[in-house]
Amino acid sequence: MKQEIIANCTQEETRVAVLEDGRLVELGIERRGSEKIVGNIYKGRVENVLPGISSAFVNIGLEKNAYLYISDIIDQSPNSKGDTPNKPIDQILKRGEIILVQIAKEAIGTKGVKVSMDISLPGRFLVYLPYQSTIGISKNIEEESERRRLKDMLENFRPKKGGFIARTESEGIEERDLKREIRYLCRLWENIQRRTENAPPASLVHKDLGLVFQTVRDVLSEETSVFMIDSKSEKEEVLGFVQMLSPELSNRIQLFEGNTAIFDAFKVEKEFDNLLSSRLSLPSGGTIIIQEAESLCAIDVNTGKFTGKESQEETVTQTNIEAAEETARQLRLRNIGGIIVIDFIDMRRARNRQKVVEVLYRATSRDRAKIKILPITRLGLVEMTRERKRESMLSTLCQPCLDCEGSGMVFSNESIFIKVKKEVLKLTQGRPEGKLRIVLHPEVAAYFLERMEQLKKSVRRNFELEKDGTLPYDDYRLIIEEQ
């Protein structure tokens, strides 16, 4: 698979797009006013310990206290082996205690950030776990001899304290490169410890890499044909970083010097504009509809105008297969996490239902987020979960509508008409005195104009309609002026 990485750097924001075989599959945005904080490490102070929910709240210097669950608590003493204390949380942590925590999930909706005491420092090939003692190998490295080779090298070269996880990129790594990365991660940890000693409570002691450098660390590989950047200064910094981490990939880092904007040149901007669309077309003519809520996403599959040339079962199965592939791409592209329910079109044959699930498994295999997919039901429903560390693209780019407050709905013209009629009757109580003015949104006012006589008879008085374009769609004002 041909992979291309495109970085667009401006004063306001940095955008990084990942293309596979020419199709956009991943998109990251980092804005100067709201930089990402997942992976940052803080010296925190425990503010509250709540045994009832086995959780604690930690002051790390942000607007809201961070949330720490009992399973994310780890022994941070010098002789720790990564044990999680098997006690109630109020016997493990005390109010006022100083601990080191790392942000695992950003604040989402009304929830504060989620933190963990099990610190992890990711590198190009390895993840260093200072408070652990285990050696782990990525499950994506399947060859047993390679798994043993990596484990043996890590056992031989690791420091006295700490554990490691060999990432997928470590497959085939040479001994000198492994040693170099271990030294780099150990030095990084030593620097964090020194800063922690001198830092006041509730303060940042380590900031994770920015979006472009995270992409270099996590995505850039032998599969990448080019990493194109439209900023000369950023390109030079990235090149220096790559020469330190993976010098053999240095020739992939290139400066984009075209007259056209880089996202337009690679046809990314057009797809970027479609990220807010809830209805997406499939190649055969079917559609999927994505409805995203705070903790759940529902995806509905329809055949649309696709009727097929064979049986209804084959038509439905083909539509569902296309939907499974596009759904996997959209989840990754829009960074949708949490619980996801996909309502595929009903299929009578069990083998066809299984075929669709297998396509979904394959289509999500390249997603870097952890995914769990449950078997499809007879009704065509698939429940799945996708790891969510950051807000979705929808939350990043949008804010709730001021008119509908995020519901996506406002009162219909008819509902407003009936509501106004009731309120006028209640306000006037049948009295004819006083001049009545009804102020409405222009589109609603047009509906009222068509029913002016009907309303006058109902309220038994004359009135004037006024238009105000600044009013929310389903809002109105009733004004009675004394004569």
Side-chain angles (χ1 to χ4, degrees), residues 122-152:
R124 171 76 178 156
F125 305 107
L126 306 171
V127 177
Y128 180 38
L129 308 169
Y131 295 118
Q132 295 278 3
S133 58
T134 57
I135 298 293
I137 309 296
S138 167
K139 63 182 180 181
N140 293 327
I141 301 176
E142 299 178 352
E143 192 175 327
E144 191 58 39
S145 60
E146 177 63 9
R147 295 178 67 87
R148 282 197 304 270
R149 185 184 77 90
L150 289 170
K151 190 169 185 179
D152 290 344

PDB file of all heavy atoms in Angstrom, residues 122-152:
ATOM      1  N   PRO A 122       6.679   7.078  24.575  1.00  0.00           N
ATOM      2  CA  PRO A 122       6.803   6.418  23.269  1.00  0.00           C
ATOM      3  C   PRO A 122       7.966   6.960  22.463  1.00  0.00           C
ATOM      4  O   PRO A 122       8.221   8.169  22.451  1.00  0.00           O
ATOM      5  CB  PRO A 122       5.468   6.727  22.590  1.00  0.00           C
ATOM      6  CG  PRO A 122       5.000   7.988  23.235  1.00  0.00           C
ATOM      7  CD  PRO A 122       5.548   8.017  24.620  1.00  0.00           C
ATOM      8  N   GLY A 123       8.673   6.066  21.789  1.00  0.00           N
ATOM      9  CA  GLY A 123       9.702   6.433  20.845  1.00  0.00           C
ATOM     10  C   GLY A 123       9.325   5.908  19.470  1.00  0.00           C
ATOM     11  O   GLY A 123       8.177   5.504  19.237  1.00  0.00           O
ATOM     12  N   ARG A 124      10.273   5.886  18.574  1.00  0.00           N
ATOM     13  CA  ARG A 124      10.030   5.406  17.218  1.00  0.00           C
ATOM     14  C   ARG A 124       9.767   3.907  17.201  1.00  0.00           C
ATOM     15  O   ARG A 124       8.840   3.431  16.564  1.00  0.00           O
ATOM     16  CB  ARG A 124      11.261   5.740  16.349  1.00  0.00           C
ATOM     17  CG  ARG A 124      11.251   5.130  14.973  1.00  0.00           C
ATOM     18  CD  ARG A 124      10.312   5.883  14.070  1.00  0.00           C
ATOM     19  NE  ARG A 124      10.316   5.337  12.740  1.00  0.00           N
ATOM     20  CZ  ARG A 124       9.320   5.469  11.894  1.00  0.00           C
ATOM     21  NH1 ARG A 124       8.244   6.127  12.231  1.00  0.00           N
ATOM     22  NH2 ARG A 124       9.398   4.959  10.684  1.00  0.00           N
ATOM     23  N   PHE A 125      10.567   3.158  17.956  1.00  0.00           N
ATOM     24  CA  PHE A 125      10.483   1.698  17.921  1.00  0.00           C
ATOM     25  C   PHE A 125       9.979   1.098  19.227  1.00  0.00           C
ATOM     26  O   PHE A 125       9.504  -0.037  19.242  1.00  0.00           O
ATOM     27  CB  PHE A 125      11.871   1.098  17.621  1.00  0.00           C
ATOM     28  CG  PHE A 125      12.501   1.617  16.368  1.00  0.00           C
ATOM     29  CD1 PHE A 125      13.563   2.500  16.409  1.00  0.00           C
ATOM     30  CD2 PHE A 125      12.020   1.229  15.128  1.00  0.00           C
ATOM     31  CE1 PHE A 125      14.133   3.001  15.244  1.00  0.00           C
ATOM     32  CE2 PHE A 125      12.590   1.713  13.959  1.00  0.00           C
ATOM     33  CZ  PHE A 125      13.647   2.605  14.019  1.00  0.00           C
ATOM     34  N   LEU A 126      10.110   1.854  20.325  1.00  0.00           N
ATOM     35  CA  LEU A 126       9.812   1.311  21.644  1.00  0.00           C
ATOM     36  C   LEU A 126       8.910   2.258  22.426  1.00  0.00           C
ATOM     37  O   LEU A 126       8.833   3.450  22.140  1.00  0.00           O
ATOM     38  CB  LEU A 126      11.109   1.101  22.451  1.00  0.00           C
ATOM     39  CG  LEU A 126      12.216   0.264  21.828  1.00  0.00           C
ATOM     40  CD1 LEU A 126      13.481   0.366  22.677  1.00  0.00           C
ATOM     41  CD2 LEU A 126      11.780  -1.186  21.686  1.00  0.00           C
ATOM     42  N   VAL A 127       8.264   1.693  23.442  1.00  0.00           N
ATOM     43  CA  VAL A 127       7.582   2.491  24.456  1.00  0.00           C
ATOM     44  C   VAL A 127       8.240   2.144  25.782  1.00  0.00           C
ATOM     45  O   VAL A 127       8.298   0.970  26.169  1.00  0.00           O
ATOM     46  CB  VAL A 127       6.071   2.187  24.509  1.00  0.00           C
ATOM     47  CG1 VAL A 127       5.411   2.996  25.627  1.00  0.00           C
ATOM     48  CG2 VAL A 127       5.399   2.494  23.177  1.00  0.00           C
ATOM     49  N   TYR A 128       8.761   3.172  26.465  1.00  0.00           N
ATOM     50  CA  TYR A 128       9.435   2.960  27.745  1.00  0.00           C
ATOM     51  C   TYR A 128       8.436   3.155  28.868  1.00  0.00           C
ATOM     52  O   TYR A 128       7.712   4.148  28.917  1.00  0.00           O
ATOM     53  CB  TYR A 128      10.596   3.949  27.876  1.00  0.00           C
ATOM     54  CG  TYR A 128      11.393   3.830  29.159  1.00  0.00           C
ATOM     55  CD1 TYR A 128      11.672   2.595  29.734  1.00  0.00           C
ATOM     56  CD2 TYR A 128      11.874   4.976  29.801  1.00  0.00           C
ATOM     57  CE1 TYR A 128      12.407   2.496  30.898  1.00  0.00           C
ATOM     58  CE2 TYR A 128      12.620   4.887  30.970  1.00  0.00           C
ATOM     59  CZ  TYR A 128      12.876   3.644  31.518  1.00  0.00           C
ATOM     60  OH  TYR A 128      13.607   3.545  32.677  1.00  0.00           O
ATOM     61  N   LEU A 129       8.400   2.188  29.804  1.00  0.00           N
ATOM     62  CA  LEU A 129       7.486   2.221  30.944  1.00  0.00           C
ATOM     63  C   LEU A 129       8.327   2.282  32.219  1.00  0.00           C
ATOM     64  O   LEU A 129       8.732   1.247  32.755  1.00  0.00           O
ATOM     65  CB  LEU A 129       6.587   0.974  30.953  1.00  0.00           C
ATOM     66  CG  LEU A 129       5.844   0.686  29.642  1.00  0.00           C
ATOM     67  CD1 LEU A 129       5.224  -0.693  29.674  1.00  0.00           C
ATOM     68  CD2 LEU A 129       4.779   1.743  29.383  1.00  0.00           C
ATOM     69  N   PRO A 130       8.609   3.481  32.725  1.00  0.00           N
ATOM     70  CA  PRO A 130       9.552   3.619  33.847  1.00  0.00           C
ATOM     71  C   PRO A 130       9.143   2.885  35.113  1.00  0.00           C
ATOM     72  O   PRO A 130      10.009   2.471  35.891  1.00  0.00           O
ATOM     73  CB  PRO A 130       9.584   5.137  34.091  1.00  0.00           C
ATOM     74  CG  PRO A 130       9.065   5.758  32.845  1.00  0.00           C
ATOM     75  CD  PRO A 130       8.116   4.780  32.250  1.00  0.00           C
ATOM     76  N   TYR A 131       7.843   2.733  35.348  1.00  0.00           N
ATOM     77  CA  TYR A 131       7.385   2.091  36.590  1.00  0.00           C
ATOM     78  C   TYR A 131       7.022   0.618  36.398  1.00  0.00           C
ATOM     79  O   TYR A 131       6.506  -0.014  37.314  1.00  0.00           O
ATOM     80  CB  TYR A 131       6.176   2.849  37.144  1.00  0.00           C
ATOM     81  CG  TYR A 131       6.490   4.256  37.575  1.00  0.00           C
ATOM     82  CD1 TYR A 131       5.878   5.342  36.969  1.00  0.00           C
ATOM     83  CD2 TYR A 131       7.413   4.503  38.587  1.00  0.00           C
ATOM     84  CE1 TYR A 131       6.158   6.641  37.364  1.00  0.00           C
ATOM     85  CE2 TYR A 131       7.708   5.801  38.988  1.00  0.00           C
ATOM     86  CZ  TYR A 131       7.082   6.861  38.373  1.00  0.00           C
ATOM     87  OH  TYR A 131       7.371   8.140  38.759  1.00  0.00           O
ATOM     88  N   GLN A 132       7.286   0.073  35.205  1.00  0.00           N
ATOM     89  CA  GLN A 132       6.990  -1.322  34.933  1.00  0.00           C
ATOM     90  C   GLN A 132       8.280  -2.141  34.902  1.00  0.00           C
ATOM     91  O   GLN A 132       9.387  -1.575  34.914  1.00  0.00           O
ATOM     92  CB  GLN A 132       6.271  -1.466  33.585  1.00  0.00           C
ATOM     93  CG  GLN A 132       4.909  -0.821  33.525  1.00  0.00           C
ATOM     94  CD  GLN A 132       3.817  -1.694  34.111  1.00  0.00           C
ATOM     95  OE1 GLN A 132       4.082  -2.777  34.628  1.00  0.00           O
ATOM     96  NE2 GLN A 132       2.581  -1.220  34.038  1.00  0.00           N
ATOM     97  N   SER A 133       8.149  -3.448  34.831  1.00  0.00           N
ATOM     98  CA  SER A 133       9.331  -4.308  34.733  1.00  0.00           C
ATOM     99  C   SER A 133       9.188  -5.332  33.608  1.00  0.00           C
ATOM    100  O   SER A 133      10.090  -6.114  33.362  1.00  0.00           O
ATOM    101  CB  SER A 133       9.564  -5.043  36.058  1.00  0.00           C
ATOM    102  OG  SER A 133       8.418  -5.816  36.399  1.00  0.00           O
ATOM    103  N   THR A 134       8.058  -5.296  32.914  1.00  0.00           N
ATOM    104  CA  THR A 134       7.793  -6.313  31.893  1.00  0.00           C
ATOM    105  C   THR A 134       8.335  -5.906  30.529  1.00  0.00           C
ATOM    106  O   THR A 134       8.582  -4.738  30.262  1.00  0.00           O
ATOM    107  CB  THR A 134       6.276  -6.555  31.763  1.00  0.00           C
ATOM    108  OG1 THR A 134       5.638  -5.303  31.464  1.00  0.00           O
ATOM    109  CG2 THR A 134       5.710  -7.111  33.054  1.00  0.00           C
ATOM    110  N   ILE A 135       8.521  -6.906  29.664  1.00  0.00           N
ATOM    111  CA  ILE A 135       8.895  -6.705  28.269  1.00  0.00           C
ATOM    112  C   ILE A 135       7.731  -7.187  27.410  1.00  0.00           C
ATOM    113  O   ILE A 135       7.279  -8.327  27.548  1.00  0.00           O
ATOM    114  CB  ILE A 135      10.166  -7.502  27.900  1.00  0.00           C
ATOM    115  CG1 ILE A 135      11.354  -7.021  28.734  1.00  0.00           C
ATOM    116  CG2 ILE A 135      10.462  -7.382  26.410  1.00  0.00           C
ATOM    117  CD1 ILE A 135      11.806  -5.617  28.436  1.00  0.00           C
ATOM    118  N   GLY A 136       7.234  -6.338  26.544  1.00  0.00           N
ATOM    119  CA  GLY A 136       6.120  -6.718  25.667  1.00  0.00           C
ATOM    120  C   GLY A 136       6.482  -6.517  24.209  1.00  0.00           C
ATOM    121  O   GLY A 136       7.323  -5.673  23.878  1.00  0.00           O
ATOM    122  N   ILE A 137       5.863  -7.310  23.349  1.00  0.00           N
ATOM    123  CA  ILE A 137       6.088  -7.219  21.901  1.00  0.00           C
ATOM    124  C   ILE A 137       4.743  -6.974  21.225  1.00  0.00           C
ATOM    125  O   ILE A 137       3.745  -7.624  21.557  1.00  0.00           O
ATOM    126  CB  ILE A 137       6.716  -8.518  21.341  1.00  0.00           C
ATOM    127  CG1 ILE A 137       7.950  -8.937  22.161  1.00  0.00           C
ATOM    128  CG2 ILE A 137       7.061  -8.341  19.861  1.00  0.00           C
ATOM    129  CD1 ILE A 137       9.100  -7.958  22.105  1.00  0.00           C
ATOM    130  N   SER A 138       4.704  -6.042  20.268  1.00  0.00           N
ATOM    131  CA  SER A 138       3.469  -5.737  19.553  1.00  0.00           C
ATOM    132  C   SER A 138       2.867  -7.005  18.954  1.00  0.00           C
ATOM    133  O   SER A 138       3.574  -7.824  18.362  1.00  0.00           O
ATOM    134  CB  SER A 138       3.750  -4.721  18.443  1.00  0.00           C
ATOM    135  OG  SER A 138       2.651  -4.628  17.563  1.00  0.00           O
ATOM    136  N   LYS A 139       1.546  -7.132  19.089  1.00  0.00           N
ATOM    137  CA  LYS A 139       0.866  -8.316  18.542  1.00  0.00           C
ATOM    138  C   LYS A 139       0.900  -8.331  17.025  1.00  0.00           C
ATOM    139  O   LYS A 139       0.669  -9.374  16.405  1.00  0.00           O
ATOM    140  CB  LYS A 139      -0.581  -8.367  19.029  1.00  0.00           C
ATOM    141  CG  LYS A 139      -1.431  -7.193  18.564  1.00  0.00           C
ATOM    142  CD  LYS A 139      -2.842  -7.286  19.119  1.00  0.00           C
ATOM    143  CE  LYS A 139      -3.702  -6.113  18.643  1.00  0.00           C
ATOM    144  NZ  LYS A 139      -5.069  -6.172  19.182  1.00  0.00           N
ATOM    145  N   ASN A 140       1.211  -7.180  16.416  1.00  0.00           N
ATOM    146  CA  ASN A 140       1.300  -7.133  14.955  1.00  0.00           C
ATOM    147  C   ASN A 140       2.580  -7.775  14.423  1.00  0.00           C
ATOM    148  O   ASN A 140       2.708  -7.992  13.227  1.00  0.00           O
ATOM    149  CB  ASN A 140       1.211  -5.685  14.467  1.00  0.00           C
ATOM    150  CG  ASN A 140      -0.158  -5.080  14.714  1.00  0.00           C
ATOM    151  OD1 ASN A 140      -1.169  -5.772  14.666  1.00  0.00           O
ATOM    152  ND2 ASN A 140      -0.191  -3.794  15.018  1.00  0.00           N
ATOM    153  N   ILE A 141       3.534  -8.022  15.304  1.00  0.00           N
ATOM    154  CA  ILE A 141       4.736  -8.783  14.922  1.00  0.00           C
ATOM    155  C   ILE A 141       4.414 -10.254  15.160  1.00  0.00           C
ATOM    156  O   ILE A 141       4.383 -10.724  16.294  1.00  0.00           O
ATOM    157  CB  ILE A 141       5.966  -8.337  15.750  1.00  0.00           C
ATOM    158  CG1 ILE A 141       6.229  -6.847  15.523  1.00  0.00           C
ATOM    159  CG2 ILE A 141       7.193  -9.157  15.373  1.00  0.00           C
ATOM    160  CD1 ILE A 141       7.350  -6.280  16.369  1.00  0.00           C
ATOM    161  N   GLU A 142       4.140 -10.984  14.113  1.00  0.00           N
ATOM    162  CA  GLU A 142       3.595 -12.338  14.241  1.00  0.00           C
ATOM    163  C   GLU A 142       4.658 -13.430  14.226  1.00  0.00           C
ATOM    164  O   GLU A 142       4.462 -14.498  14.809  1.00  0.00           O
ATOM    165  CB  GLU A 142       2.578 -12.589  13.123  1.00  0.00           C
ATOM    166  CG  GLU A 142       1.381 -11.627  13.181  1.00  0.00           C
ATOM    167  CD  GLU A 142       0.414 -11.844  12.045  1.00  0.00           C
ATOM    168  OE1 GLU A 142       0.748 -12.630  11.128  1.00  0.00           O
ATOM    169  OE2 GLU A 142      -0.673 -11.226  12.064  1.00  0.00           O
ATOM    170  N   GLU A 143       5.777 -13.202  13.542  1.00  0.00           N
ATOM    171  CA  GLU A 143       6.791 -14.250  13.428  1.00  0.00           C
ATOM    172  C   GLU A 143       7.436 -14.501  14.790  1.00  0.00           C
ATOM    173  O   GLU A 143       8.009 -13.603  15.409  1.00  0.00           O
ATOM    174  CB  GLU A 143       7.853 -13.839  12.410  1.00  0.00           C
ATOM    175  CG  GLU A 143       8.782 -14.980  12.031  1.00  0.00           C
ATOM    176  CD  GLU A 143       9.743 -14.568  10.927  1.00  0.00           C
ATOM    177  OE1 GLU A 143       9.346 -13.745  10.071  1.00  0.00           O
ATOM    178  OE2 GLU A 143      10.877 -15.063  10.930  1.00  0.00           O
ATOM    179  N   GLU A 144       7.360 -15.761  15.261  1.00  0.00           N
ATOM    180  CA  GLU A 144       7.813 -16.097  16.604  1.00  0.00           C
ATOM    181  C   GLU A 144       9.306 -15.867  16.786  1.00  0.00           C
ATOM    182  O   GLU A 144       9.753 -15.408  17.848  1.00  0.00           O
ATOM    183  CB  GLU A 144       7.454 -17.556  16.921  1.00  0.00           C
ATOM    184  CG  GLU A 144       7.631 -17.946  18.375  1.00  0.00           C
ATOM    185  CD  GLU A 144       6.815 -17.080  19.318  1.00  0.00           C
ATOM    186  OE1 GLU A 144       5.669 -16.736  18.973  1.00  0.00           O
ATOM    187  OE2 GLU A 144       7.344 -16.741  20.406  1.00  0.00           O
ATOM    188  N   SER A 145      10.103 -16.166  15.764  1.00  0.00           N
ATOM    189  CA  SER A 145      11.555 -15.981  15.885  1.00  0.00           C
ATOM    190  C   SER A 145      11.912 -14.504  16.060  1.00  0.00           C
ATOM    191  O   SER A 145      12.824 -14.157  16.815  1.00  0.00           O
ATOM    192  CB  SER A 145      12.271 -16.544  14.651  1.00  0.00           C
ATOM    193  OG  SER A 145      11.831 -15.880  13.472  1.00  0.00           O
ATOM    194  N   GLU A 146      11.180 -13.622  15.377  1.00  0.00           N
ATOM    195  CA  GLU A 146      11.433 -12.184  15.515  1.00  0.00           C
ATOM    196  C   GLU A 146      10.992 -11.687  16.886  1.00  0.00           C
ATOM    197  O   GLU A 146      11.662 -10.840  17.495  1.00  0.00           O
ATOM    198  CB  GLU A 146      10.705 -11.416  14.413  1.00  0.00           C
ATOM    199  CG  GLU A 146      10.831  -9.894  14.470  1.00  0.00           C
ATOM    200  CD  GLU A 146      12.255  -9.390  14.300  1.00  0.00           C
ATOM    201  OE1 GLU A 146      13.146 -10.201  13.962  1.00  0.00           O
ATOM    202  OE2 GLU A 146      12.489  -8.193  14.518  1.00  0.00           O
ATOM    203  N   ARG A 147       9.904 -12.202  17.390  1.00  0.00           N
ATOM    204  CA  ARG A 147       9.437 -11.825  18.723  1.00  0.00           C
ATOM    205  C   ARG A 147      10.479 -12.217  19.781  1.00  0.00           C
ATOM    206  O   ARG A 147      10.780 -11.433  20.691  1.00  0.00           O
ATOM    207  CB  ARG A 147       8.087 -12.486  19.039  1.00  0.00           C
ATOM    208  CG  ARG A 147       6.944 -12.029  18.150  1.00  0.00           C
ATOM    209  CD  ARG A 147       5.652 -12.770  18.482  1.00  0.00           C
ATOM    210  NE  ARG A 147       5.157 -12.404  19.808  1.00  0.00           N
ATOM    211  CZ  ARG A 147       4.364 -11.376  20.067  1.00  0.00           C
ATOM    212  NH1 ARG A 147       3.978 -10.588  19.064  1.00  0.00           N
ATOM    213  NH2 ARG A 147       3.963 -11.123  21.281  1.00  0.00           N
ATOM    214  N   ARG A 148      11.055 -13.417  19.637  1.00  0.00           N
ATOM    215  CA  ARG A 148      12.084 -13.875  20.585  1.00  0.00           C
ATOM    216  C   ARG A 148      13.340 -13.016  20.470  1.00  0.00           C
ATOM    217  O   ARG A 148      13.966 -12.663  21.472  1.00  0.00           O
ATOM    218  CB  ARG A 148      12.430 -15.352  20.336  1.00  0.00           C
ATOM    219  CG  ARG A 148      11.410 -16.334  20.887  1.00  0.00           C
ATOM    220  CD  ARG A 148      11.989 -17.729  20.989  1.00  0.00           C
ATOM    221  NE  ARG A 148      12.515 -18.199  19.704  1.00  0.00           N
ATOM    222  CZ  ARG A 148      11.805 -18.855  18.801  1.00  0.00           C
ATOM    223  NH1 ARG A 148      10.526 -19.123  19.056  1.00  0.00           N
ATOM    224  NH2 ARG A 148      12.342 -19.268  17.666  1.00  0.00           N
ATOM    225  N   ARG A 149      13.727 -12.666  19.239  1.00  0.00           N
ATOM    226  CA  ARG A 149      14.926 -11.858  19.023  1.00  0.00           C
ATOM    227  C   ARG A 149      14.784 -10.492  19.701  1.00  0.00           C
ATOM    228  O   ARG A 149      15.701 -10.026  20.394  1.00  0.00           O
ATOM    229  CB  ARG A 149      15.167 -11.667  17.520  1.00  0.00           C
ATOM    230  CG  ARG A 149      16.464 -10.938  17.172  1.00  0.00           C
ATOM    231  CD  ARG A 149      16.557 -10.710  15.666  1.00  0.00           C
ATOM    232  NE  ARG A 149      15.714  -9.597  15.224  1.00  0.00           N
ATOM    233  CZ  ARG A 149      16.117  -8.334  15.160  1.00  0.00           C
ATOM    234  NH1 ARG A 149      17.353  -8.001  15.518  1.00  0.00           N
ATOM    235  NH2 ARG A 149      15.293  -7.387  14.744  1.00  0.00           N
ATOM    236  N   LEU A 150      13.632  -9.861  19.493  1.00  0.00           N
ATOM    237  CA  LEU A 150      13.408  -8.555  20.102  1.00  0.00           C
ATOM    238  C   LEU A 150      13.381  -8.645  21.623  1.00  0.00           C
ATOM    239  O   LEU A 150      13.958  -7.789  22.317  1.00  0.00           O
ATOM    240  CB  LEU A 150      12.088  -7.961  19.588  1.00  0.00           C
ATOM    241  CG  LEU A 150      12.071  -7.487  18.137  1.00  0.00           C
ATOM    242  CD1 LEU A 150      10.642  -7.151  17.703  1.00  0.00           C
ATOM    243  CD2 LEU A 150      12.976  -6.272  17.954  1.00  0.00           C
ATOM    244  N   LYS A 151      12.723  -9.667  22.141  1.00  0.00           N
ATOM    245  CA  LYS A 151      12.641  -9.813  23.599  1.00  0.00           C
ATOM    246  C   LYS A 151      14.016 -10.038  24.200  1.00  0.00           C
ATOM    247  O   LYS A 151      14.368  -9.460  25.238  1.00  0.00           O
ATOM    248  CB  LYS A 151      11.701 -10.966  23.953  1.00  0.00           C
ATOM    249  CG  LYS A 151      11.374 -11.040  25.444  1.00  0.00           C
ATOM    250  CD  LYS A 151      10.240 -12.001  25.716  1.00  0.00           C
ATOM    251  CE  LYS A 151       9.853 -11.951  27.185  1.00  0.00           C
ATOM    252  NZ  LYS A 151       8.735 -12.854  27.499  1.00  0.00           N
ATOM    253  N   ASP A 152      14.832 -10.862  23.545  1.00  0.00           N
ATOM    254  CA  ASP A 152      16.193 -11.124  24.055  1.00  0.00           C
ATOM    255  C   ASP A 152      17.026  -9.845  24.056  1.00  0.00           C
ATOM    256  O   ASP A 152      17.751  -9.566  25.022  1.00  0.00           O
ATOM    257  CB  ASP A 152      16.869 -12.199  23.206  1.00  0.00           C
ATOM    258  CG  ASP A 152      16.259 -13.582  23.411  1.00  0.00           C
ATOM    259  OD1 ASP A 152      15.539 -13.748  24.421  1.00  0.00           O
ATOM    260  OD2 ASP A 152      16.474 -14.470  22.560  1.00  0.00           O
TER     261      ASP A 152
END
